[in-house]
mmCIF file of all heavy atoms in Angstrom:
data_model
loop_
_atom_site.group_PDB
_atom_site.id
_atom_site.type_symbol
_atom_site.label_atom_id
_atom_site.label_comp_id
_atom_site.label_asym_id
_atom_site.label_seq_id
_atom_site.Cartn_x
_atom_site.Cartn_y
_atom_site.Cartn_z
ATOM 1 N N ILE A 9 -7.996 19.216 8.035
ATOM 2 C CA ILE A 9 -8.258 20.528 8.632
ATOM 3 C C ILE A 9 -9.662 20.518 9.244
ATOM 4 O O ILE A 9 -10.648 20.323 8.528
ATOM 5 C CB ILE A 9 -8.156 21.671 7.588
ATOM 6 C CG1 ILE A 9 -6.899 21.497 6.721
ATOM 7 C CG2 ILE A 9 -8.194 23.024 8.288
ATOM 8 C CD1 ILE A 9 -5.581 21.459 7.469
ATOM 9 N N GLY A 10 -9.741 20.710 10.556
ATOM 10 C CA GLY A 10 -11.005 20.610 11.286
ATOM 11 C C GLY A 10 -11.031 19.266 11.985
ATOM 12 O O GLY A 10 -11.065 18.216 11.332
ATOM 13 N N ALA A 11 -10.968 19.282 13.334
ATOM 14 C CA ALA A 11 -10.906 18.014 14.080
ATOM 15 C C ALA A 11 -12.209 17.771 14.835
ATOM 16 O O ALA A 11 -12.204 17.486 16.032
ATOM 17 C CB ALA A 11 -9.701 18.023 15.027
ATOM 18 N N GLY A 12 -13.338 17.881 14.128
ATOM 19 C CA GLY A 12 -14.650 17.597 14.728
ATOM 20 C C GLY A 12 -15.058 16.164 14.418
ATOM 21 O O GLY A 12 -14.216 15.286 14.223
ATOM 22 N N TYR A 13 -16.368 15.922 14.362
ATOM 23 C CA TYR A 13 -16.884 14.573 14.128
ATOM 24 C C TYR A 13 -16.251 13.978 12.874
ATOM 25 O O TYR A 13 -15.754 12.853 12.875
ATOM 26 C CB TYR A 13 -18.409 14.600 13.962
ATOM 27 C CG TYR A 13 -19.131 14.778 15.268
ATOM 28 C CD1 TYR A 13 -19.479 16.037 15.728
ATOM 29 C CD2 TYR A 13 -19.448 13.679 16.057
ATOM 30 C CE1 TYR A 13 -20.132 16.208 16.941
ATOM 31 C CE2 TYR A 13 -20.095 13.826 17.268
ATOM 32 C CZ TYR A 13 -20.441 15.093 17.707
ATOM 33 O OH TYR A 13 -21.078 15.246 18.905
ATOM 34 N N VAL A 14 -16.272 14.746 11.786
ATOM 35 C CA VAL A 14 -15.796 14.191 10.515
ATOM 36 C C VAL A 14 -14.274 14.215 10.433
ATOM 37 O O VAL A 14 -13.650 13.212 10.073
ATOM 38 C CB VAL A 14 -16.432 14.965 9.337
ATOM 39 C CG1 VAL A 14 -15.770 14.608 8.017
ATOM 40 C CG2 VAL A 14 -17.924 14.653 9.271
ATOM 41 N N GLY A 15 -13.663 15.352 10.791
ATOM 42 C CA GLY A 15 -12.212 15.480 10.659
ATOM 43 C C GLY A 15 -11.468 14.521 11.563
ATOM 44 O O GLY A 15 -10.529 13.830 11.127
ATOM 45 N N ALA A 32 -5.463 19.337 12.104
ATOM 46 C CA ALA A 32 -5.350 20.725 12.575
ATOM 47 C C ALA A 32 -6.725 21.260 12.944
ATOM 48 O O ALA A 32 -7.732 20.887 12.338
ATOM 49 C CB ALA A 32 -4.757 21.590 11.465
ATOM 50 N N ASP A 33 -6.741 22.138 13.932
ATOM 51 C CA ASP A 33 -7.999 22.792 14.296
ATOM 52 C C ASP A 33 -7.668 24.194 14.815
ATOM 53 O O ASP A 33 -6.575 24.422 15.347
ATOM 54 C CB ASP A 33 -8.744 21.987 15.375
ATOM 55 C CG ASP A 33 -10.243 22.271 15.380
ATOM 56 O OD1 ASP A 33 -10.631 23.370 15.847
ATOM 57 O OD2 ASP A 33 -11.016 21.432 14.889
ATOM 58 N N VAL A 34 -8.644 25.111 14.674
ATOM 59 C CA VAL A 34 -8.436 26.466 15.226
ATOM 60 C C VAL A 34 -8.604 26.471 16.743
ATOM 61 O O VAL A 34 -8.155 27.395 17.410
ATOM 62 C CB VAL A 34 -9.449 27.509 14.671
ATOM 63 C CG1 VAL A 34 -8.990 28.052 13.346
ATOM 64 C CG2 VAL A 34 -10.858 26.952 14.608
ATOM 65 N N ASN A 35 -9.271 25.463 17.250
ATOM 66 C CA ASN A 35 -9.553 25.405 18.683
ATOM 67 C C ASN A 35 -8.331 24.820 19.411
ATOM 68 O O ASN A 35 -8.129 23.607 19.448
ATOM 69 C CB ASN A 35 -10.803 24.540 18.883
ATOM 70 C CG ASN A 35 -11.249 24.484 20.323
ATOM 71 O OD1 ASN A 35 -10.448 24.675 21.237
ATOM 72 N ND2 ASN A 35 -12.528 24.218 20.531
ATOM 73 N N LYS A 38 -8.928 22.278 22.206
ATOM 74 C CA LYS A 38 -9.278 20.944 21.687
ATOM 75 C C LYS A 38 -8.014 20.198 21.246
ATOM 76 O O LYS A 38 -7.838 19.007 21.550
ATOM 77 C CB LYS A 38 -10.238 21.117 20.494
ATOM 78 C CG LYS A 38 -10.741 19.827 19.902
ATOM 79 C CD LYS A 38 -11.574 20.052 18.650
ATOM 80 C CE LYS A 38 -13.053 20.158 18.931
ATOM 81 N NZ LYS A 38 -13.877 20.101 17.712
ATOM 82 N N GLY A 72 -4.154 25.219 13.894
ATOM 83 C CA GLY A 72 -4.149 26.017 12.669
ATOM 84 C C GLY A 72 -3.757 25.223 11.436
ATOM 85 O O GLY A 72 -2.824 24.409 11.458
ATOM 86 N N ALA A 73 -4.484 25.482 10.344
ATOM 87 C CA ALA A 73 -4.258 24.757 9.083
ATOM 88 C C ALA A 73 -2.844 24.964 8.565
ATOM 89 O O ALA A 73 -2.215 24.031 8.044
ATOM 90 C CB ALA A 73 -5.281 25.220 8.043
ATOM 91 N N CYS A 86 -12.376 19.537 6.502
ATOM 92 C CA CYS A 86 -13.482 18.953 7.294
ATOM 93 C C CYS A 86 -14.027 20.011 8.251
ATOM 94 O O CYS A 86 -14.316 19.724 9.409
ATOM 95 C CB CYS A 86 -12.991 17.744 8.078
ATOM 96 S SG CYS A 86 -12.282 16.452 7.046
ATOM 97 N N VAL A 87 -14.166 21.214 7.746
ATOM 98 C CA VAL A 87 -14.623 22.332 8.584
ATOM 99 C C VAL A 87 -16.154 22.459 8.478
ATOM 100 O O VAL A 87 -16.763 21.905 7.561
ATOM 101 C CB VAL A 87 -13.927 23.644 8.162
ATOM 102 C CG1 VAL A 87 -12.450 23.599 8.527
ATOM 103 C CG2 VAL A 87 -14.118 23.927 6.685
ATOM 104 N N PRO A 88 -16.785 23.182 9.403
ATOM 105 C CA PRO A 88 -18.252 23.281 9.375
ATOM 106 C C PRO A 88 -18.754 24.058 8.162
ATOM 107 O O PRO A 88 -18.094 24.982 7.697
ATOM 108 C CB PRO A 88 -18.585 24.054 10.654
ATOM 109 C CG PRO A 88 -17.333 24.123 11.454
ATOM 110 C CD PRO A 88 -16.187 23.911 10.528
ATOM 111 N N THR A 89 -19.915 23.661 7.674
ATOM 112 C CA THR A 89 -20.598 24.404 6.604
ATOM 113 C C THR A 89 -22.050 24.600 7.055
ATOM 114 O O THR A 89 -22.965 23.997 6.504
ATOM 115 C CB THR A 89 -20.555 23.619 5.269
ATOM 116 O OG1 THR A 89 -21.020 22.274 5.519
ATOM 117 C CG2 THR A 89 -19.157 23.562 4.695
ATOM 118 N N ALA A 101 -15.891 29.097 6.530
ATOM 119 C CA ALA A 101 -14.754 28.365 7.115
ATOM 120 C C ALA A 101 -13.882 27.764 6.003
ATOM 121 O O ALA A 101 -12.650 27.756 6.104
ATOM 122 C CB ALA A 101 -15.251 27.274 8.056
ATOM 123 N N ALA A 104 -11.866 30.563 4.617
ATOM 124 C CA ALA A 104 -10.802 30.980 5.541
ATOM 125 C C ALA A 104 -9.609 30.019 5.457
ATOM 126 O O ALA A 104 -8.453 30.448 5.445
ATOM 127 C CB ALA A 104 -11.346 31.027 6.973
ATOM 128 N N VAL A 105 -9.903 28.724 5.379
ATOM 129 C CA VAL A 105 -8.804 27.750 5.315
ATOM 130 C C VAL A 105 -8.025 27.918 4.006
ATOM 131 O O VAL A 105 -6.784 27.913 3.998
ATOM 132 C CB VAL A 105 -9.328 26.301 5.454
ATOM 133 C CG1 VAL A 105 -8.212 25.299 5.213
ATOM 134 C CG2 VAL A 105 -9.950 26.083 6.823
ATOM 135 N N GLU A 108 -5.768 30.726 4.155
ATOM 136 C CA GLU A 108 -4.643 30.472 5.060
ATOM 137 C C GLU A 108 -3.561 29.588 4.403
ATOM 138 O O GLU A 108 -2.380 29.764 4.666
ATOM 139 C CB GLU A 108 -5.189 29.796 6.333
ATOM 140 C CG GLU A 108 -4.179 29.637 7.443
ATOM 141 C CD GLU A 108 -4.801 29.021 8.711
ATOM 142 O OE1 GLU A 108 -6.040 29.019 8.848
ATOM 143 O OE2 GLU A 108 -4.015 28.548 9.548
ATOM 144 N N LYS A 122 -14.177 17.405 2.100
ATOM 145 C CA LYS A 122 -14.975 16.360 2.738
ATOM 146 C C LYS A 122 -16.181 16.978 3.443
ATOM 147 O O LYS A 122 -17.183 16.315 3.698
ATOM 148 C CB LYS A 122 -14.126 15.521 3.699
ATOM 149 C CG LYS A 122 -14.792 14.172 3.968
ATOM 150 C CD LYS A 122 -13.927 13.286 4.790
ATOM 151 C CE LYS A 122 -13.510 11.987 4.132
ATOM 152 N NZ LYS A 122 -14.488 11.318 3.292
ATOM 153 N N SER A 123 -16.072 18.284 3.742
ATOM 154 C CA SER A 123 -17.244 18.978 4.275
ATOM 155 C C SER A 123 -18.366 18.857 3.246
ATOM 156 O O SER A 123 -18.109 18.689 2.056
ATOM 157 C CB SER A 123 -16.944 20.466 4.459
ATOM 158 O OG SER A 123 -15.938 20.662 5.425
ATOM 159 N N THR A 124 -19.606 18.970 3.714
ATOM 160 C CA THR A 124 -20.747 18.945 2.787
ATOM 161 C C THR A 124 -20.888 20.327 2.166
ATOM 162 O O THR A 124 -21.144 21.305 2.870
ATOM 163 C CB THR A 124 -22.019 18.544 3.553
ATOM 164 O OG1 THR A 124 -21.794 17.247 4.116
ATOM 165 C CG2 THR A 124 -23.232 18.509 2.630
ATOM 166 N N VAL A 125 -20.682 20.391 0.864
ATOM 167 C CA VAL A 125 -20.647 21.696 0.183
ATOM 168 C C VAL A 125 -21.476 21.657 -1.094
ATOM 169 O O VAL A 125 -21.589 20.612 -1.732
ATOM 170 C CB VAL A 125 -19.192 22.085 -0.153
ATOM 171 C CG1 VAL A 125 -18.417 22.426 1.117
ATOM 172 C CG2 VAL A 125 -18.482 20.984 -0.921
ATOM 173 N N GLU A 149 -18.622 12.672 2.815
ATOM 174 C CA GLU A 149 -18.583 11.697 3.901
ATOM 175 C C GLU A 149 -20.014 11.299 4.276
ATOM 176 O O GLU A 149 -20.895 12.147 4.343
ATOM 177 C CB GLU A 149 -17.862 12.323 5.108
ATOM 178 C CG GLU A 149 -17.756 11.408 6.305
ATOM 179 C CD GLU A 149 -17.186 10.040 5.934
ATOM 180 O OE1 GLU A 149 -16.104 9.978 5.338
ATOM 181 O OE2 GLU A 149 -17.847 9.028 6.244
ATOM 182 N N PHE A 150 -20.204 10.015 4.564
ATOM 183 C CA PHE A 150 -21.557 9.521 4.851
ATOM 184 C C PHE A 150 -21.698 8.938 6.249
ATOM 185 O O PHE A 150 -22.700 8.290 6.556
ATOM 186 C CB PHE A 150 -21.944 8.462 3.806
ATOM 187 C CG PHE A 150 -21.874 8.980 2.395
ATOM 188 C CD1 PHE A 150 -20.781 8.706 1.590
ATOM 189 C CD2 PHE A 150 -22.895 9.788 1.889
ATOM 190 C CE1 PHE A 150 -20.695 9.209 0.303
ATOM 191 C CE2 PHE A 150 -22.813 10.291 0.596
ATOM 192 C CZ PHE A 150 -21.712 10.011 -0.206
ATOM 193 N N LEU A 151 -20.679 9.148 7.117
ATOM 194 C CA LEU A 151 -20.760 8.545 8.454
ATOM 195 C C LEU A 151 -21.909 9.146 9.250
ATOM 196 O O LEU A 151 -22.351 10.263 8.987
ATOM 197 C CB LEU A 151 -19.436 8.721 9.206
ATOM 198 C CG LEU A 151 -18.943 10.133 9.567
ATOM 199 C CD1 LEU A 151 -19.642 10.713 10.773
ATOM 200 C CD2 LEU A 151 -17.445 10.107 9.804
ATOM 201 N N ARG A 152 -22.389 8.363 10.212
ATOM 202 C CA ARG A 152 -23.420 8.839 11.140
ATOM 203 C C ARG A 152 -22.792 9.079 12.490
ATOM 204 O O ARG A 152 -21.891 8.338 12.897
ATOM 205 C CB ARG A 152 -24.533 7.787 11.308
ATOM 206 C CG ARG A 152 -25.388 7.554 10.098
ATOM 207 C CD ARG A 152 -26.107 6.225 10.212
ATOM 208 N NE ARG A 152 -25.134 5.118 10.342
ATOM 209 C CZ ARG A 152 -25.424 3.880 10.664
ATOM 210 N NH1 ARG A 152 -26.672 3.541 10.919
ATOM 211 N NH2 ARG A 152 -24.488 2.949 10.741
ATOM 212 N N GLU A 153 -23.277 10.068 13.206
ATOM 213 C CA GLU A 153 -22.793 10.283 14.563
ATOM 214 C C GLU A 153 -23.227 9.109 15.432
ATOM 215 O O GLU A 153 -24.312 8.558 15.265
ATOM 216 C CB GLU A 153 -23.341 11.599 15.120
ATOM 217 C CG GLU A 153 -22.657 12.782 14.468
ATOM 218 C CD GLU A 153 -23.130 14.111 14.991
ATOM 219 O OE1 GLU A 153 -23.641 14.182 16.121
ATOM 220 O OE2 GLU A 153 -22.993 15.100 14.240
ATOM 221 N N LYS A 202 -23.916 13.743 -2.188
ATOM 222 C CA LYS A 202 -24.058 13.951 -0.744
ATOM 223 C C LYS A 202 -25.434 14.524 -0.400
ATOM 224 O O LYS A 202 -26.135 14.031 0.487
ATOM 225 C CB LYS A 202 -22.944 14.883 -0.257
ATOM 226 C CG LYS A 202 -23.014 15.231 1.200
ATOM 227 C CD LYS A 202 -22.850 14.015 2.100
ATOM 228 C CE LYS A 202 -23.340 14.305 3.504
ATOM 229 N NZ LYS A 202 -23.263 13.147 4.382
ATOM 230 N N SER A 257 -27.151 17.696 13.091
ATOM 231 C CA SER A 257 -26.389 18.805 12.519
ATOM 232 C C SER A 257 -26.430 18.809 10.998
ATOM 233 O O SER A 257 -25.955 19.750 10.378
ATOM 234 C CB SER A 257 -24.937 18.739 12.997
ATOM 235 O OG SER A 257 -24.294 17.619 12.427
ATOM 236 N N CYS A 258 -26.986 17.774 10.372
ATOM 237 C CA CYS A 258 -26.860 17.709 8.905
ATOM 238 C C CYS A 258 -28.160 17.627 8.114
ATOM 239 O O CYS A 258 -28.372 18.416 7.213
ATOM 240 C CB CYS A 258 -25.936 16.562 8.533
ATOM 241 S SG CYS A 258 -24.232 16.969 8.986
ATOM 242 N N LYS A 261 -29.985 21.029 7.775
ATOM 243 C CA LYS A 261 -29.292 22.064 6.980
ATOM 244 C C LYS A 261 -29.128 21.626 5.521
ATOM 245 O O LYS A 261 -29.216 22.441 4.612
ATOM 246 C CB LYS A 261 -27.952 22.435 7.616
ATOM 247 C CG LYS A 261 -26.788 21.514 7.308
ATOM 248 C CD LYS A 261 -25.463 22.115 7.782
ATOM 249 C CE LYS A 261 -24.322 21.099 7.742
ATOM 250 N NZ LYS A 261 -23.993 20.523 6.459
ATOM 251 N N ASP A 262 -28.930 20.334 5.304
ATOM 252 C CA ASP A 262 -28.686 19.891 3.930
ATOM 253 C C ASP A 262 -29.964 19.909 3.078
ATOM 254 O O ASP A 262 -29.920 20.210 1.890
ATOM 255 C CB ASP A 262 -28.029 18.498 3.927
ATOM 256 C CG ASP A 262 -26.613 18.539 4.517
ATOM 257 O OD1 ASP A 262 -26.071 19.656 4.683
ATOM 258 O OD2 ASP A 262 -26.060 17.472 4.831
ATOM 259 N N ARG A 326 -27.368 19.468 18.585
ATOM 260 C CA ARG A 326 -27.594 20.385 17.462
ATOM 261 C C ARG A 326 -28.862 20.004 16.696
ATOM 262 O O ARG A 326 -29.023 18.877 16.286
ATOM 263 C CB ARG A 326 -26.382 20.368 16.514
ATOM 264 C CG ARG A 326 -25.156 21.048 17.120
ATOM 265 C CD ARG A 326 -23.970 21.007 16.181
ATOM 266 N NE ARG A 326 -23.416 19.663 16.022
ATOM 267 C CZ ARG A 326 -22.398 19.366 15.227
ATOM 268 N NH1 ARG A 326 -21.841 20.295 14.495
ATOM 269 N NH2 ARG A 326 -21.942 18.132 15.151
HETATM 270 P P1 LIG B 501 -17.712 19.935 13.787
HETATM 271 O O1 LIG B 501 -18.260 21.240 14.179
HETATM 272 O O2 LIG B 501 -17.840 18.756 14.684
HETATM 273 O O3 LIG B 501 -16.126 20.100 13.498
HETATM 274 C C1 LIG B 501 -15.583 21.118 12.708
HETATM 275 C C2 LIG B 501 -14.228 21.514 13.281
HETATM 276 O O4 LIG B 501 -13.614 22.457 12.396
HETATM 277 C C3 LIG B 501 -14.319 22.198 14.643
HETATM 278 O O5 LIG B 501 -13.498 21.517 15.579
HETATM 279 C C4 LIG B 501 -13.818 23.616 14.377
HETATM 280 O O6 LIG B 501 -13.105 24.188 15.461
HETATM 281 C C5 LIG B 501 -12.916 23.399 13.180
HETATM 282 N N1 LIG B 501 -12.649 24.599 12.387
HETATM 283 C C6 LIG B 501 -13.496 25.594 12.054
HETATM 284 N N2 LIG B 501 -12.869 26.525 11.295
HETATM 285 C C7 LIG B 501 -11.587 26.089 11.148
HETATM 286 C C8 LIG B 501 -10.440 26.622 10.478
HETATM 287 N N3 LIG B 501 -10.501 27.781 9.813
HETATM 288 N N4 LIG B 501 -9.290 25.929 10.555
HETATM 289 C C9 LIG B 501 -9.219 24.758 11.244
HETATM 290 N N5 LIG B 501 -10.270 24.217 11.902
HETATM 291 C C10 LIG B 501 -11.436 24.876 11.848
HETATM 292 O O7 LIG B 501 -18.317 19.618 12.349
HETATM 293 P P2 LIG B 501 -18.569 18.185 11.687
HETATM 294 O O8 LIG B 501 -19.824 17.612 12.268
HETATM 295 O O9 LIG B 501 -17.318 17.401 11.728
HETATM 296 O O10 LIG B 501 -18.929 18.604 10.202
HETATM 297 C C11 LIG B 501 -17.942 19.064 9.297
HETATM 298 C C12 LIG B 501 -18.493 18.978 7.882
HETATM 299 O O11 LIG B 501 -18.773 17.599 7.570
HETATM 300 C C13 LIG B 501 -19.817 19.714 7.650
HETATM 301 O O12 LIG B 501 -19.816 20.205 6.346
HETATM 302 C C14 LIG B 501 -20.858 18.626 7.786
HETATM 303 O O13 LIG B 501 -22.029 18.917 7.054
HETATM 304 C C15 LIG B 501 -20.139 17.440 7.175
HETATM 305 N N6 LIG B 501 -20.600 16.124 7.670
HETATM 306 C C16 LIG B 501 -20.863 15.920 8.981
HETATM 307 C C17 LIG B 501 -21.238 14.650 9.429
HETATM 308 C C18 LIG B 501 -21.582 14.384 10.874
HETATM 309 O O14 LIG B 501 -22.105 13.313 11.172
HETATM 310 N N7 LIG B 501 -21.327 15.287 11.802
HETATM 311 C C19 LIG B 501 -21.315 13.586 8.513
HETATM 312 C C20 LIG B 501 -21.010 13.841 7.171
HETATM 313 C C21 LIG B 501 -20.639 15.107 6.756
#
Side-chain angles (χ1 to χ4, degrees):
I9 314 302
Y13 284 92
V14 169
D33 203 286
V34 276
N35 184 335
K38 183 186 267 192
C86 302
V87 291
T89 51
V105 173
E108 188 177 343
K122 200 174 241 323
S123 296
T124 300
V125 290
E149 180 51 54
F150 303 100
L151 64 79
R152 292 161 301 169
E153 287 181 23
K202 177 63 197 177
S257 69
C258 289
K261 82 170 168 60
D262 293 347
R326 289 179 290 178

